[in-house]
Amino acid sequence: MSELIVRDNSAACRAGCGACCIAPSITSPIPGMPNGKPAGVRCVQLDDHHLCRLFGRPERPRVCEQFNFDATVCGEHREEALATLSWLEESTR
């Protein structure tokens, strides 16, 4: 089973996944990416261990704060999360 990190009572995240920092487009500014990022591009704030450098910091984009772990989106492993998030991004363009 995948390891999950519980960050608070409403959100959990798979350690080292980072799919939500790669697959979706983000239109709001990100430190180091003032125009946001296109879908499929790795966020500059995602470290080598696939963890967000801005987690819990006020500079973190609101859209990122609002994204919570959801088993139907995140699946059982990172590759499943990347596939689902990429499909959702493409489907909602």
Side-chain angles (χ1 to χ4, degrees):
M1 176 168 266
S2 300
E3 181 181 348
L4 298 179
I5 296 174
V6 176
R7 292 188 168 147
D8 62 38
N9 290 336
S10 64
C13 188
R14 183 177 300 109
C17 178
C20 59
C21 303
I22 299 169
S25 59
I26 298 176
T27 57
S28 58
I30 303 165
M33 300 180 103
N35 298 315
K37 67 169 224 58
V41 171
R42 182 184 181 91
C43 177
V44 299
Q45 297 299 332
L46 191 62
D47 72 14
D48 292 339
H49 302 287
H50 302 290
L51 299 172
C52 177
R53 291 181 185 102
L54 299 177
F55 189 84
R57 296 181 58 186
E59 303 90 348
R60 187 172 183 222
R62 185 163 169 81
V63 67
C64 300
E65 286 179 8
Q66 293 176 334
F67 185 86
N68 290 322
F69 176 87
D70 182 312
T72 59
V73 174
C74 300
E76 292 293 321
H77 48 78
R78 180 174 191 267
E79 291 75 21
E80 193 173 344
L82 279 167
T84 302
L85 286 166
S86 295
W87 177 83
L88 285 168
E89 177 71 28
E90 184 66 31
S91 298
T92 58
R93 276 196 183 152

